[in-house]
Amino acid sequence: MLKTNTIFATIGLAFCLLFGGAFTAYGSQPANGFFDAFEGNTIVGWGWDSSTPNTAVPVHVTVTNKDSGEVVGDFKPTAGTFRQDLKENGIGNGNHGFRISMDWDSLPDGSYVIQGWIEGQEFENTKTYVKGETAPAEEAAPAAEEPQQNSGMRSLGLFRTTAYCPCYKCSEGWGRHTSSGATAHARHTIAVDPRVIPMGSKVMIGGVIYTAEDRGGGVKGNHIDIFYDTHAQTRQHGSFMQEVFLVQ
């Protein structure tokens, strides 16, 4: 009987690991893309699929006139250019960058929105280029989406949000390992003060639902550290106040 129970327990554990891993992979949204700062007339970014980390993947980028809605640029490059910063931050083998030349001079004055997709998943950010102003303008941080009544969300109030990544400066050698044992993923993992937000809680920040999977020595009280893939993204996020909603 003891051996039979051991066999059933082993089978049950195998199923838990199999299905648990499947749900984790699904929830982490392995396809991920990001736009970096403009370099003159060049749109710079990267994209990768963590399920095939060393494979260059195609991305889809559009440039749209914000006022008229006209698509003035439609590009489908392969994100396969090597970047040392990507390799150092654990983005596969680093061959996941792309560069697109955009002839802004041929376009009329106005605002242009740059959006990207990888495998149907929209990039983490959009860019806005303003022609006719003194300098190109960056897209402002999106405001938090106001949850509908009885939507199962409760406001926790305003929190200071900062950002961290797998680099040594941010994670001190921990990389993507978290205090909960989970693997950190962008648009999924946050570090919190467990006395304020219990580990495992799901919260919505700026329209994105995150899971509290990590903690940090400098994360105290109403402070949330949001995980990103690269240090350039953490610098772009900066530090600002956002309303946080508990997903119940």
Side-chain angles (χ1 to χ4, degrees), residues 80-130:
T81 301
F82 177 76
R83 283 175 42 177
Q84 185 65 33
D85 65 317
L86 297 181
K87 183 177 181 179
E88 291 175 354
N89 282 279
I91 307 299
N93 56 10
N95 292 306
H96 299 290
F98 66 85
R99 300 171 68 85
I100 298 171
S101 294
M102 186 66 197
D103 185 8
W104 299 110
D105 293 337
S106 66
L107 300 174
D109 290 353
S111 297
Y112 296 89
V113 178
I114 299 97
Q115 294 174 279
W117 295 266
I118 173 173
E119 299 179 358
Q121 176 72 32
E122 190 168 3
F123 277 25
E124 286 187 32
N125 65 332
T126 61
K127 286 284 189 181
T128 299
Y129 185 93
V130 179

Side-chain angles (χ1 to χ4, degrees), residues 11 64 118 132 161 183 187 192 218:
I11 294 173
T64 305
I118 173 173
T161 65
T183 300
R187 296 180 67 83
V192 300

Side-chain angles (χ1 to χ4, degrees), residues 38 95 117 133 137 142 150 163 183 205 225:
F38 293 114
N95 292 306
W117 295 266
E133 300 291 338
N150 303 318
T183 300
I205 308 170
D225 218 11

